[in-house]
Amino acid sequence: MNNFTFFSPTEFVFGRDTELQTGKLIRKHAARRVLIVYGGGSAVRSGLLGRIETSLDAAGVFHISMGGIQANPVDGPVYKGIEIARRNEIDLVLAVGGGSVIDTSKAIAAGVPYEGDFWDFYIGKAKVTKALRVAVVLTIPAAGSEGSGNSVITKESTRQKMSLRAPEQLRPVFAVMNPVLTFTLPAWQTAAGITDMMAHIFERYFTNTPAVTVADRMCEGVLQAIIEEAPKVITCPNGYDARANIMWCGMVAHNGTCGVGCEEDWATHFMEHEISAHYGVTHGAGLAVMFPAWLTWMANHHVERVALWAHRVWGVAEQSDLRAQALEGIARFKAFLQQIGMPTDFKSLGVPNPDIPLLVDSLHRNKGEYVGAYVRLTRKDSEEIYRLAL
Amino acid sequence: MNNFTFFSPTEFVFGRDTELQTGKLIRKHAARRVLIVYGGGSAVRSGLLGRIETSLDAAGVFHISMGGIQANPVDGPVYKGIEIARRNEIDLVLAVGGGSVIDTSKAIAAGVPYEGDFWDFYIGKAKVTKALRVAVVLTIPAAGSEGSGNSVITKESTRQKMSLRAPEQLRPVFAVMNPVLTFTLPAWQTAAGITDMMAHIFERYFTNTPAVTVADRMCEGVLQAIIEEAPKVITCPNGYDARANIMWCGMVAHNGTCGVGCEEDWATHFMEHEISAHYGVTHGAGLAVMFPAWLTWMANHHVERVALWAHRVWGVAEQSDLRAQALEGIARFKAFLQQIGMPTDFKSLGVPNPDIPLLVDSLHRNKGEYVGAYVRLTRKDSEEIYRLAL
């Protein structure tokens, strides 16, 4: 097991009607002037934004709102949010939404006290040393951004999709998680979110670090819970308990609970970022296409953990032929993805003729000569994996 | 699933040589004057205390020490610590040890700014509203006190063993966890610690709250990790990886990670507290005696979860006779406890003739007419369970 730090200071307030506590929580964290960031009109139409504003008013908290954040969030709204926040002397950015809204809020929070271009943080030109506080009312369980210090933003002019990690500054101070708010999430987005949270666990589980028993068992346990609850939320979107289990799985998949002491991989996420940056697909759907391809390639090159995963997570019987064991697990994973409505190849993703040389070039230009850690992928390797997804 | 709050703001710094960061961590948390609380002479003889003091000196942190805290910590050293802390204008209490040292440090931290008797907090006469900060260098994985806001202290004059819960005030701000520090822990204490962490998970797992899939799977995963690693640390005390896995299991067993959204039980802990308060036995050994008895009684009165636990945690085949399935799981649990050197009845605990009426009286006087939640135990029930442990 490797040395590690686990630091998850976010206060998670989970359950029915918890959004009514937002104002009180903001006061508890000593903030007074709030920028509310949200996505489409559904937060307005559903009355959620109104309930939150009422809660803020009751707590005597100043607030101003900025909507219109879209999936695969881009840099434009970040600049706009920074300007609004500066002009209104905001001290906390409240994200009402899912990963895109939260990641935009984190970018705004980092950008406000910084004199240069916030994009500097995403290309490694500058480090975040101070930021406004960020808090969350979660409506889409998927990215796990409510419990992480990470943010992913795409620069529109260059189609660069880059990530920033600054847990000490950008981890939300609190996250309100009411499963009822996810009842209206369409099946497609629900399934893409489920795929994303599973992928966050895979990126930790596929490791070469030896003797990480507790990390393995917790990863396997959360995956088993997702596999059990996912079909329920697809067939019965208003079932509270299944929605609640899925919502919490999305958080623990990415706040550091899973995978302690493991070297992490992240190759598949980076490969997917190129697809969503260039073709605008849903991140989770892109992962549903790329993870089976990555796993299939690994079954031929570094099979051990894939075979273990097939046995423990998918219930495949142990056998002497580890590759066959691994491939049976991958087949069950693909069947699961199809059952919840996800694509598992480029064609069903709606990108029948991807420009693979472009994706490979962009991947290695953004991430370097080698990508990933379970196997360090060369350009030749990543090209092979993209082709396995055709 | 019930509504819940998960808030674990402790910074866990885990791995080899991490105690050398203690001074830096204290400065990071803006403390300057530290009371170091420790147990026996082993912290001095091993050089650990010296290394910590050097680290504090290098960081320019004032420190003063108080040793001699024993297992089943009592009120005397708390009063002494409060006096030392007040006289030296201490702002952080650094516990170097296991549960007893940490719980004593928390009692001191709560007592310093309080004008009355610190015992008021333990008998519910007063609530902790402010406290000195607490931090930890952990040497015994067992109680999970490094990640919890709880403290258990015994009042010597009355043999009352009482617990306090004040997570907002008493959760350690950081915990340094170096598995190497546990290499010298005797097999008995190691095994008692393992039993204690398993018991912390059981108290959450045995619940009537429906549909807690993710909580179930995480509890089962951590238990499987403990069952796999425990025999290794007993037979090979200097094996880093097994010690590391066990150390982390002890933390997640009690910081709220396991059992989210579940109504918890705690009857067995309270029944054990009476035994250790009256007979001075090791808490974990007392739990090794009481949990099989509690489970056996439950197999006759509320079998469902015991049967599930037997199947998922101990690998007992599913069968139509749930009681038989449960009893086979309990038999495997007892065999496991005996394998790691724990007693499983009063006799092997060294208390061949316990005064059961005294234990029952004291239990219900301290905890009320009913104890526990999975089944609310009456005096008759708790007497039957104590007798099952004979």
Side-chain angles (χ1 to χ4, degrees):
Chain A
M1 195 191 288
N2 294 339
N3 282 12
F4 66 88
T5 294
F6 177 77
F7 186 36
S8 176
T10 306
E11 182 171 4
F12 298 98
V13 181
F14 191 101
R16 292 177 192 273
D17 298 325
T18 45
E19 72 273 19
L20 305 179
Q21 300 179 38
T22 310
K24 202 184 70 181
L25 285 162
I26 284 171
R27 288 297 295 269
K28 179 179 164 188
H29 289 277
R32 296 207 159 249
R33 298 182 69 82
V34 169
L35 170 63
I36 303 175
V37 179
Y38 63 97
S42 68
V44 181
R45 285 191 305 275
S46 70
L48 172 62
L49 215 61
R51 289 201 299 284
I52 293 170
E53 287 171 341
T54 303
S55 163
L56 267 56
D57 289 337
V61 171
F62 168 87
H63 53 87
I64 185 167
S65 299
M66 180 180 92
I69 309 303
Q70 294 182 330
N72 293 318
V74 293
D75 52 342
V78 177
Y79 292 110
K80 185 179 154 199
I82 290 171
E83 200 206 313
I84 296 174
R86 285 182 180 155
R87 204 167 51 226
N88 290 282
E89 297 178 343
I90 293 300
D91 52 17
L92 185 146
V93 186
L94 178 67
V96 179
S100 299
V101 170
I102 304 171
D103 286 8
T104 301
S105 299
K106 288 175 179 173
I108 294 169
V112 167
Y114 179 61
E115 289 188 5
D117 182 350
F118 90 91
W119 189 247
D120 292 350
F121 299 130
Y122 289 75
I123 53 172
K125 211 178 127 186
K127 271 199 186 302
V128 180
T129 55
K130 57 181 176 173
L132 304 188
R133 278 161 294 171
V134 176
V136 174
V137 176
L138 189 66
T139 64
I140 307 176
S145 191
E146 66 277 13
S148 87
N150 304 349
S151 163
V152 179
I153 298 286
T154 298
K155 191 174 181 67
E156 254 190 314
S157 59
T158 61
R159 304 311 306 161
Q160 271 180 297
K161 186 167 188 171
M162 302 295 283
S163 54
L164 163 66
R165 189 176 141 73
E168 299 262 337
Q169 294 78 23
L170 296 182
R171 241 186 238 273
V173 292
F174 69 81
V176 164
M177 300 170 74
N178 177 358
V180 175
L181 302 180
T182 71
F183 284 6
T184 53
L185 208 58
W188 167 264
Q189 261 189 291
T190 301
I194 286 164
T195 310
D196 195 16
M197 57 185 80
M198 293 177 87
H200 289 155
I201 302 177
F202 294 172
E203 301 288 14
R204 295 165 162 95
Y205 187 79
F206 292 101
T207 183
N208 297 309
T209 311
V212 286
T213 310
V214 61
D216 284 352
R217 292 294 188 181
M218 291 177 85
C219 286
E220 290 156 5
V222 178
L223 287 171
Q224 285 173 304
I226 294 171
I227 292 164
E228 187 175 335
E229 299 297 324
K232 298 182 199 167
V233 296
I234 300 297
T235 54
C236 178
N238 290 2
Y240 181 86
D241 283 321
R243 288 285 193 185
N245 276 289
I246 288 293
M247 196 173 209
W248 190 248
C249 286
M251 198 294 285
V252 292
H254 201 41
N255 83 322
T257 299
C258 291
V260 285
C262 300
E263 183 184 39
E264 302 182 0
D265 190 77
W266 295 99
T268 313
H269 258 78
F270 295 143
M271 295 183 80
E272 194 294 316
H273 283 175
E274 298 303 328
I275 304 174
S276 48
H278 288 93
Y279 298 102
V281 304
T282 305
H283 174 56
L287 289 167
V289 170
M290 287 314 300
F291 244 117
W294 183 90
L295 287 158
T296 303
W297 194 90
M298 288 302 158
N300 290 323
H301 292 83
H302 191 4
V303 72
E304 287 74 13
R305 299 283 292 184
V306 190
L308 183 75
W309 165 89
H311 173 57
R312 291 210 187 145
V313 176
W314 298 100
V316 178
E318 287 183 288
Q319 46 202 275
S320 55
D321 183 348
L322 289 186
R323 185 167 171 276
Q325 182 177 322
L327 291 178
E328 175 59 24
I330 297 166
R332 292 190 193 183
F333 174 42
K334 283 176 87 160
F336 167 86
L337 291 170
Q338 288 159 3
Q339 185 197 353
I340 65 171
M342 282 286 101
T344 53
D345 55 34
F346 270 113
K347 200 170 159 186
S348 50
L349 182 64
V351 187
N353 296 302
D355 185 343
I356 289 180
L358 168 81
L359 296 174
V360 171
D361 275 351
S362 182
L363 173 70
H364 288 277
R365 191 172 55 242
N366 284 329
K367 293 295 165 186
E369 194 178 353
Y370 300 102
V371 177
Y374 183 65
V375 170
R376 298 174 72 223
L377 303 175
T378 64
R379 291 176 64 94
K380 178 172 163 290
D381 300 336
S382 53
E383 177 162 351
E384 285 174 9
I385 294 171
Y386 276 124
R387 290 203 183 281
L388 281 171
L390 284 172
Chain B
M1 194 191 289
N2 293 341
N3 282 12
F4 65 89
T5 294
F6 177 78
F7 187 36
S8 175
T10 305
E11 182 171 4
F12 298 99
V13 181
F14 190 100
R16 292 178 192 274
D17 297 326
T18 45
E19 71 274 19
L20 304 179
Q21 300 178 40
T22 310
K24 200 183 71 180
L25 284 163
I26 284 171
R27 288 298 295 268
K28 179 179 162 187
H29 289 277
R32 296 204 159 252
R33 298 181 68 83
V34 169
L35 170 63
I36 302 174
V37 179
Y38 63 98
S42 69
V44 181
R45 287 192 305 276
S46 70
L48 171 61
L49 216 59
R51 289 201 299 286
I52 292 170
E53 287 170 343
T54 303
S55 163
L56 266 56
D57 289 338
V61 171
F62 168 87
H63 53 88
I64 185 167
S65 298
M66 179 179 94
I69 308 304
Q70 294 182 329
N72 293 320
V74 293
D75 52 342
V78 177
Y79 293 110
K80 185 179 154 199
I82 290 170
E83 199 205 315
I84 296 174
R86 285 181 180 155
R87 204 167 52 227
N88 290 281
E89 297 177 345
I90 294 300
D91 53 17
L92 185 145
V93 186
L94 178 67
V96 179
S100 299
V101 170
I102 304 170
D103 286 8
T104 301
S105 299
K106 287 174 180 174
I108 294 169
V112 167
Y114 179 62
E115 289 187 5
D117 183 350
F118 91 91
W119 189 246
D120 293 348
F121 299 130
Y122 290 75
I123 52 172
K125 210 179 127 185
K127 271 201 184 304
V128 180
T129 55
K130 55 182 177 173
L132 303 188
R133 278 162 294 172
V134 176
V136 174
V137 177
L138 188 67
T139 64
I140 307 175
S145 191
E146 66 277 13
S148 87
N150 304 349
S151 164
V152 179
I153 298 286
T154 298
K155 191 173 180 70
E156 254 190 315
S157 60
T158 61
R159 303 312 306 160
Q160 272 180 295
K161 187 168 187 171
M162 301 296 282
S163 55
L164 163 66
R165 188 177 143 74
E168 299 261 337
Q169 294 78 25
L170 296 182
R171 240 184 238 275
V173 292
F174 69 82
V176 165
M177 300 170 74
N178 177 357
V180 175
L181 302 179
T182 70
F183 284 5
T184 53
L185 208 59
W188 167 265
Q189 260 189 290
T190 301
I194 287 163
T195 311
D196 195 15
M197 57 185 80
M198 292 177 87
H200 288 155
I201 302 176
F202 295 171
E203 301 288 14
R204 294 166 163 96
Y205 187 78
F206 292 101
T207 183
N208 297 309
T209 312
V212 286
T213 310
V214 61
D216 284 351
R217 292 294 186 180
M218 291 178 85
C219 287
E220 290 156 6
V222 178
L223 288 170
Q224 284 173 304
I226 294 171
I227 293 164
E228 187 176 334
E229 299 296 324
K232 299 182 198 167
V233 297
I234 300 298
T235 55
C236 177
N238 290 0
Y240 180 85
D241 283 321
R243 286 285 193 186
N245 276 290
I246 289 293
M247 195 173 210
W248 191 247
C249 286
M251 199 294 286
V252 292
H254 202 40
N255 83 322
T257 300
C258 292
V260 285
C262 299
E263 183 185 38
E264 303 181 1
D265 190 76
W266 297 98
T268 313
H269 259 76
F270 296 142
M271 294 183 80
E272 193 295 316
H273 283 176
E274 297 305 327
I275 303 174
S276 49
H278 287 93
Y279 299 102
V281 305
T282 305
H283 173 55
L287 288 167
V289 170
M290 288 314 300
F291 245 117
W294 183 90
L295 288 159
T296 303
W297 193 90
M298 288 301 157
N300 290 324
H301 291 82
H302 191 4
V303 72
E304 288 73 13
R305 300 283 292 183
V306 190
L308 183 75
W309 165 89
H311 172 58
R312 291 212 187 143
V313 176
W314 299 101
V316 178
E318 288 182 288
Q319 47 202 272
S320 56
D321 184 346
L322 288 186
R323 185 167 171 275
Q325 182 177 321
L327 290 177
E328 174 59 24
I330 296 166
R332 293 190 193 183
F333 175 42
K334 283 176 88 159
F336 167 86
L337 291 170
Q338 287 159 3
Q339 185 197 353
I340 64 171
M342 282 286 100
T344 52
D345 56 34
F346 270 113
K347 199 168 162 189
S348 50
L349 181 66
V351 186
N353 296 303
D355 185 342
I356 288 179
L358 168 79
L359 296 174
V360 171
D361 276 352
S362 183
L363 173 69
H364 289 276
R365 191 173 55 245
N366 285 328
K367 293 294 166 188
E369 195 178 351
Y370 300 101
V371 176
Y374 184 65
V375 170
R376 298 175 73 223
L377 303 174
T378 63
R379 291 176 64 94
K380 177 172 164 288
D381 301 335
S382 54
E383 176 161 353
E384 284 174 9
I385 294 171
Y386 276 124
R387 292 205 182 278
L388 281 171
L390 284 172

